[in-house]
Amino acid sequence: MSKNLKLALFDYDGTIVDSAIMIVEGAIEAFRMCGLPDPDPQKVRENIGKPLAIALDEYMPPGFKVTPNEISEAYRSWYAEQGRLGLQNEPLYPGVVDVLKELKTNDWLIGIATNKSRVGLTNGLAKHDLSDMFDITLSTDENVAKPNPAMAIKAMSELGVDKQNCVMIGDTINDIGLGVNAGITSIGVTWGYNNKSLLKSAGATYLVANANELSILMKKLFI
């Protein structure tokens, strides 16, 4: 481990891109593909950030024999097709890419730790020309989902970073939970899908309201 290396791990959905519209649309399409009535869009949004099968289980209707894993597979199939066609509706949050570039300029390693699928992440990064931006990307397809600390532990191990020099940045309690469970600094961003009080109660070390606040905070960390 090197005491000089610094690593910023970012969540993807709700932190780098606003994917709520697409996630809600995908959940509705998956339910229809499985012969289920449409889910409540608000409940879908509230569960963004959880592993997909767990999130689906939160709002699937009772009385049907379809399993969350079957709906999950339908969702992934729909999502992958949208990506293949270049139809992802996932706009970047203002200023976040500038922060990523700034971190790289200031010798930070940057990575992604997401509960999104690998194909969804790959397609999204390609669409926004970010495929070569990150030093490591970790998805739930190859790793235990957040809030388990496995992704952070793997990233620190592979990149040779001490946990004292690693920070997790995300918008949900699962992101903050990863930080807490891994024993690293966590920054809750309030422009995503969980509110300030939830992030604070989950144990966020810091809270920021926009990319400019994040930029200022990152310049102060580990100096």
Side-chain angles (χ1 to χ4, degrees):
M1 297 291 180
S2 171
K3 294 183 178 180
N4 298 319
L5 295 176
K6 301 173 293 185
L7 171 62
L9 285 174
F10 284 78
D11 173 51
Y12 189 69
D13 295 320
T15 301
I16 295 175
V17 299
D18 185 359
S19 47
I21 293 173
M22 190 171 182
I23 289 173
V24 170
E25 182 182 352
I28 292 172
E29 289 296 328
F31 272 52
R32 292 175 178 176
M33 290 164 68
C34 293
L36 299 172
D38 290 1
D40 180 344
Q42 182 59 36
K43 287 186 178 180
V44 176
R45 185 182 174 90
E46 289 171 356
N47 284 278
I48 292 175
K50 294 180 180 178
L52 186 55
I54 294 174
L56 289 167
D57 197 34
E58 293 288 332
Y59 48 79
M60 67 180 295
F64 290 87
K65 293 184 178 180
V66 180
T67 67
N69 283 329
E70 287 174 314
I71 305 173
S72 177
E73 285 304 310
Y75 175 91
R76 289 173 184 270
S77 174
W78 176 87
Y79 210 102
E81 179 66 7
Q82 298 303 297
R84 188 184 68 80
L85 297 172
L87 298 176
Q88 304 103 309
N89 184 10
E90 299 175 332
L92 292 162
Y93 283 106
V96 174
V97 171
D98 291 334
V99 174
L100 294 174
K101 292 178 179 177
E102 188 175 68
L103 289 171
K104 294 289 283 185
T105 299
N106 290 314
D107 298 321
W108 281 80
L109 298 170
I110 58 173
I112 289 179
T114 178
N115 283 347
K116 195 181 191 73
S117 70
R118 171 58 62 182
V119 66
L121 177 62
T122 299
N123 290 339
L125 292 177
K127 186 177 179 68
H128 292 300
D129 295 320
L130 295 175
S131 300
D132 298 324
M133 174 70 73
F134 298 93
D135 297 287
I136 192 168
T137 60
L138 304 122
S139 82
T140 193
D141 285 350
E142 312 94 22
N143 302 278
V144 182
K146 298 177 289 187
N148 187 287
M151 291 191 206
I153 293 170
K154 182 177 181 179
M156 289 186 286
S157 175
E158 291 196 4
L159 296 174
V161 178
D162 292 321
K163 67 179 181 179
Q164 291 83 1
N165 292 330
C166 183
V167 59
M168 178 67 206
I169 302 158
D171 70 299
T172 73
I173 59 175
N174 288 302
D175 304 317
I176 303 306
L178 176 145
V180 171
N181 292 332
I184 62 176
T185 299
S186 59
I187 301 174
V189 303
T190 61
W191 58 75
Y193 307 135
N194 282 180
N195 61 39
K196 185 183 297 186
S197 62
L198 272 176
L199 296 170
K200 187 175 181 179
S201 67
T205 316
Y206 304 99
L207 295 172
V208 294
N210 53 56
N212 185 56
E213 288 187 9
L214 178 59
S215 172
I216 293 170
L217 176 60
M218 294 303 286
K219 290 172 184 174
K220 295 178 180 178
L221 290 179
F222 311 133
I223 296 176

